[in-house]
Amino acid sequence: MNEYAVRVAANLRQRYAGEPEYLQSVLTWLEMIDPALEDPRYEKLDLLTRMAEPERMISFLVPWVDDKGIAHTCHGYRVQFNSAIGPYKGGLRFHPSVNPSVVKFLGFEQTYKNALTGLPIGGASGGADFDPRGKSRREIMRFCQSFMTCLYRHIGADTDVPAGDMGVASREIGWLYGQYKRLTGRAESSALTGKGLTYGGSRVRQAAAGFGTVYFLARMLEDQGETLEGKRLIVSGFGNMSWGVCRKATELGAKVVTLSGPDGYIYDPDGVSTPEKYQFMVDMRYSGEDRVSTYAEKFGVEFFPGKRPWEVPGDAVLPCATQNELDVDDAIHIIANDVRYYVEGANMPATAEALKLLRLSPKVLTVGSKAAGCGGVAVSALEMAQNSIRYNWSRSEVDEKLRQIMGSIYDASAAAAREYGLGYDLIAGNDIAAFKKISEAMIAQGL
Ligand code: 2IT
């Protein structure tokens, strides 16, 4: 490994010893970009440290009152990770697992996703350790308002543009945007993305994360002389991303046969492939129960309590739930089942060891979420573009732009892998392509 990179890795390990998710994501990245570190300017400008660590980390307390009048205090964060190629941009996650390590890992990954889209956005992330499970609508609305009261001074269309992530969907974005507008007195559309269509949102944004992942897979298949027609997809999660995957996969002739939640997974041999099933996924999400067993009850399919879907055979595996949801045993199942494609929707869904196994297996073609998971933020950037021209593109115009963006990310990742003699290693390829782009922007802007 490059000597400068070794020193940076040692510093990171020491400084962030208590932040495992963040360390996992930056240390994996340093390994991936290692073949592309020949330029002496990287060390001269200490670019690796300046890319690995966040430019700014904001944390704040979020007080709120529940329906019984009892006060609660949550911890809110916004990490403004990298502004080399545009305003900070990234999601907000409301989930009890949110902490400084998780938001930093998300902000780091976001910087690379955003660079790969080819659109002018820097990287950020944020959220709170608020648990929406079992909360009423009014409680969630009050929490969103209090959260925005804390956050609004740090964001803005040319500063930092939040969007949704786990626990934050279009409903929450509406409440956050309403509060931002009251506090600032400005109809500043591009201060948030993922807005509703009636007040500045973009068509396709809700489904874009999942659509993008399926477009990426379609492009990989095309390069292998195959199509999605008749393919069986093994998908985890049941949230926004999985929902978009089910819709686009069905449209392109494939079948999503699994969904999962914290309670286990369901197996639907006919595929999650009808408007009724898509709607049920949305209802499950807003029910606040955070489980998929209700899908099995409703549609009469099998439910496997306490298990993950990676044991089910299929043509492609698409983890779409959360970080580290796939470990070494799961990777062994995937390889033993002769799965050909491993395409990450969720951020860092595999443990470091599981990812290593999958990447090194000659049978599995792998791609990381920085490339395959950036459909959501790509359409967020298109939403900002539409806001600034005060115009809305049609559904098919946005969908086609998304398809093209995902195709060009595939091309850039494959080209970078080829250039550095890494064969078809799209994970290293996508990291190197994004690294080159961000480092050029940082070098141009000086120290
Ligand atoms: O992980 C992601 O790309 C997101 N949560 C969406 C970020 C965005 O700004 O649309």
Side-chain angles (χ1 to χ4, degrees), residues 67 111 113 169 186 220 228 231 243 269 274 278 283 432 444:
D67 288 344
T111 303
K113 284 184 176 183
R186 286 158 53 86
M220 282 172 93
L228 271 167
K231 295 283 188 294
W243 172 77
T274 62
Y278 308 147
D283 296 344
I432 291 172

Side-chain angles (χ1 to χ4, degrees), residues 89-92 110 113-114 161-165 193 205 347 373-374 376-377 380:
K89 178 89 197 82
L92 295 172
Q110 196 74 52
K113 284 184 176 183
N114 296 5
V161 183
D165 196 277
T193 62
R205 176 63 190 86
N347 293 297
C374 73
V377 75
S380 275

Side-chain angles (χ1 to χ4, degrees), residues 91-150:
L92 295 172
R93 177 175 289 193
F94 291 167
H95 192 270
S97 64
V98 167
N99 62 33
S101 171
V102 168
V103 293
K104 269 183 227 155
F105 123 69
L106 290 171
F108 178 76
E109 301 271 316
Q110 196 74 52
T111 303
Y112 287 78
K113 284 184 176 183
N114 296 5
L116 284 168
T117 65
L119 300 165
I121 39 179
S125 184
D129 56 1
F130 172 75
D131 188 356
R133 215 186 319 196
K135 303 290 189 299
S136 72
R137 277 173 66 90
R138 280 182 303 166
E139 286 172 329
I140 296 174
M141 182 172 78
R142 279 201 300 279
F143 181 79
C144 287
Q145 291 170 340
S146 183
F147 183 87
M148 183 51 81
T149 302
C150 302

Side-chain angles (χ1 to χ4, degrees), residues 69-88:
I70 297 169
H72 299 268
T73 309
C74 286
H75 301 85
Y77 307 92
R78 185 73 182 165
V79 59
Q80 297 181 333
F81 214 100
N82 189 293
S83 57
I85 58 184
Y88 302 109

